[in-house]
Each structure stands twice: as structure tokens, then as C-alpha cells.
Amino acid sequence: MADIKEDNQPYDEINITPMLDLAYVLLVIFIIMTTASVQGVKVEIPQTSATGNLAKPDIRGITITGEGDVYLDAYPVDLATLEQRLGEYKANNPELPVVLKGDAAAHYEKVSAVLEICKKLGITEVGLVTKKAEG
């Protein structure tokens, strides 16, 4: 009868399995959230021989995919919403810089429409993203 523990005696071991399960779940959640926030819109950028760095604070990025979809800072928008949001940003920052990243196969009409919206709002600092040609 010495092997049987009474109900009031303390245990000399701790079960940490539930704590480890929680730690693994949190680790997986953090991994998924960081990879989701880093990803942007993937486009095939055209090449050019002369490129410069246009990095400035508070730059707004507009992306046009090969299918003609338009994104503002990695969020899908239509042209009316793009004009409205750029107008709001322009009101807060009169010298708003914009970077246009278009797929090499993007429809020229969409690129032209986005540039027309920038011109209409008085946004003069517009940069086009290209990648440097090899050789």
C-alpha cells in the first residue's frame, strides 16, 4: 500500500505537453504572418540600361500586373479608388512621390490611365521601376 499516492500529496513531475503544443502553434502562426506580410505583388519588370535609386520616405507604390490589375501599396484597387486614395495622400503631402511598377506584359492603356490620374492630381514625382539590363 505504500505505492498508492493519496489525493492530497503533491506530484513530483510536471506535464509540459500542453505548453509545448501552445508554443508550436504560436511559432507556426508567427511564421505564416511574417511570410504573408513580406510578400507583395509579383510582376515581371522591364529592363533598362540606366537605373537610379528613387528611395524616398512616404513613397506610394502602384503596381500593374500583366492581367491589368492595379494595386496601391499591394492592395487591389480600381482606377476610381486609386484616384481617391492618391488624392487623400496628396492632400497630406503636397510633394507626394509615386513609384509605378508595371509588368512588362501590362496593358499600355492601364499604365496610361494611371499616369493620367497622377497628372490630374498634380503628382509630378513619378518614378518607373525597371531592372538593370545585364551587360
Side-chain angles (χ1 to χ4, degrees), residues 22-41:
L22 178 65
Y24 291 139
V25 167
L26 288 175
L27 179 67
V28 168
I29 288 173
F30 287 135
I31 290 172
I32 290 172
M33 293 304 291
T34 28
T35 56
S37 66
V38 171
Q39 292 176 349
V41 180

Side-chain angles (χ1 to χ4, degrees), residues 62-65 68-72 75-79 82 110 114:
I62 303 170
T63 306
I64 302 173
T65 64
D69 299 327
V70 179
Y71 293 82
L72 177 61
Y75 296 105
V77 293
D78 59 359
L79 293 178
L82 176 70
K110 286 284 186 174
V114 169

Side-chain angles (χ1 to χ4, degrees), residues 3-103:
D3 294 337
I4 300 174
K5 290 187 177 184
E6 293 182 18
D7 289 339
N8 294 334
Q9 285 185 343
Y11 289 103
D12 57 349
E13 68 232 11
I14 298 173
N15 186 4
I16 62 167
T17 305
M19 185 174 62
L20 291 176
D21 289 344
L22 178 65
Y24 291 139
V25 167
L26 288 175
L27 179 67
V28 168
I29 288 173
F30 287 135
I31 290 172
I32 290 172
M33 293 304 291
T34 28
T35 56
S37 66
V38 171
Q39 292 176 349
V41 180
K42 179 121 174 103
V43 293
E44 191 64 37
I45 299 174
Q47 294 184 0
T48 150
S49 59
T51 59
N53 190 358
L54 299 173
K56 290 184 178 180
D58 199 28
I59 291 179
R60 296 296 166 187
I62 303 170
T63 306
I64 302 173
T65 64
E67 293 80 28
D69 299 327
V70 179
Y71 293 82
L72 177 61
D73 294 333
Y75 296 105
V77 293
D78 59 359
L79 293 178
T81 308
L82 176 70
E83 184 174 356
Q84 174 198 1
R85 290 192 184 156
L86 282 178
E88 293 170 3
Y89 295 141
K90 176 75 172 167
N92 293 334
N93 181 7
E95 297 179 8
L96 177 70
V98 172
V99 174
L100 179 60
K101 180 168 70 169
D103 194 293

